[in-house]
Amino acid sequence: MTRLNEKISELRDIVKELKIDLDRAKKGKPPLKDADGKRKRNLTPEALEKKISQTNAKIEKIERDMKTKEDLKTVALGTSKINYLDPRITVAWCKRHEVPIEKIFNKSLLAKFAWAMDVDPDFRF
């Protein structure tokens, strides 16, 4: 979680720099130098706006991932899949909704439940 928080703060800093560069580009001035003292590339305002929107999308994705990670922290998702659900039900659901079985079961579970892989999509328990 701390790594994700650091990544978000880095991306927010990048957005701030891009907004400053965007303001300068709209005024016709060259961009400021970066932290290393090197000159930044002179981008058009449209390209800078696109970069800002992409960076904001990354921030939103990381925040969603953090929320999901926090919500699922106390839930052992694999245990119920292995011990309590009949694998034929899961395989039938995957076939019915065209979800790759590899997304649900890892390699060892695929080998363990090989007997359930030939079930019909309309299987009912």
Side-chain angles (χ1 to χ4, degrees):
M1 292 299 263
T2 56
R3 190 175 52 96
L4 292 176
N5 282 329
E6 291 171 4
K7 183 76 172 167
I8 287 175
S9 64
E10 288 175 19
L11 289 173
R12 287 194 173 133
D13 291 340
I14 290 172
V15 168
K16 286 179 187 175
E17 290 178 17
L18 287 172
K19 285 184 180 179
I20 291 170
D21 290 344
L22 177 64
D23 289 339
R24 290 182 65 83
K26 284 183 178 177
K27 293 176 184 173
K29 297 178 182 176
L32 297 173
K33 295 182 179 182
D34 61 3
D36 300 335
K38 299 177 184 174
R39 286 192 56 109
K40 295 181 186 176
R41 288 190 327 178
N42 197 2
L43 298 174
T44 64
E46 294 82 22
L48 288 168
E49 287 173 356
K50 184 178 177 186
K51 269 188 149 181
I52 290 172
S53 66
Q54 288 173 341
T55 309
N56 284 332
K58 284 182 187 177
I59 291 172
E60 290 173 11
K61 182 186 180 304
I62 292 173
E63 287 174 344
R64 272 196 315 270
D65 291 347
M66 283 178 59
K67 184 177 180 339
T68 304
K69 197 172 210 173
E70 185 69 32
D71 291 345
L72 298 178
K73 188 167 48 174
T74 59
V75 179
L77 295 175
T79 304
S80 61
K81 213 173 16 181
I82 299 167
N83 296 332
Y84 306 117
L85 283 176
D86 186 337
R88 294 175 294 179
I89 296 171
T90 307
V91 171
W93 182 87
C94 287
K95 287 181 179 179
R96 210 173 311 130
H97 296 285
E98 298 177 3
V99 174
I101 296 172
E102 295 80 23
K103 296 269 186 192
I104 307 295
F105 292 136
N106 59 27
K107 286 183 181 180
S108 62
L109 289 179
L110 284 172
K112 182 178 180 180
F113 297 140
W115 56 271
M117 297 302 153
D118 59 349
V119 71
D120 291 331
D122 55 342
F123 173 80
R124 290 272 187 226
F125 186 71

